[in-house]
Amino acid sequence: MTTKPGKPLPHLTPTGTCWCGCAKKVGAGSFFAPGHDKVAEAALLAAEYGSSVAQLLHAHGYGPGHSVSARAVAEGVWRKCPSCAYVGAPASIANHTRRGHAPAPTEQV
């Protein structure tokens, strides 16, 4: 079970039906039909926060004085690029590093 500080997250089980509410059947182990995770995310943001990411962040106590990105890094679910200030999920860091940074110079003997 994934946990957040002081708040365990429940174990969720896919049901075979898309969780966005469209009622499409999905494969074993899937919660959503392809792309429908983003549909559900956008619908939740619209229904709960007026489609405003700023409102979402504010409702959870984040903003200019309290960085959600810094918290993700501190909790180990995101990482910081070793060469710059970029932060993101491990796969994002790998892509960023491949595209944004030259390989480290090799030592000349």
Side-chain angles (χ1 to χ4, degrees):
M1 177 185 323
T2 305
T3 60
K4 292 173 68 174
K7 182 179 175 186
L9 296 176
H11 174 76
L12 302 176
T13 304
T15 61
T17 303
C18 184
W19 278 39
C20 86
C22 72
K24 282 190 176 189
K25 297 297 177 200
V26 296
S30 295
F31 289 97
F32 298 98
H36 289 214
D37 55 332
K38 293 298 180 183
V39 170
E41 182 179 50
L44 177 64
L45 189 64
E48 297 290 330
Y49 303 103
S51 296
S52 170
V53 173
Q55 291 291 338
L56 167 71
L57 291 172
H58 175 75
H60 291 274
Y62 298 104
H66 187 218
S67 170
V68 68
S69 299
R71 178 164 179 210
V73 171
E75 292 195 12
V77 293
W78 272 18
R79 297 201 176 113
K80 182 181 180 300
C81 175
S83 302
C84 70
Y86 181 85
V87 296
S92 294
I93 294 295
N95 287 337
H96 163 79
T97 302
R98 257 194 317 278
R99 288 187 229 154
H101 299 289
T106 56
E107 188 175 338
Q108 297 284 331
V109 181

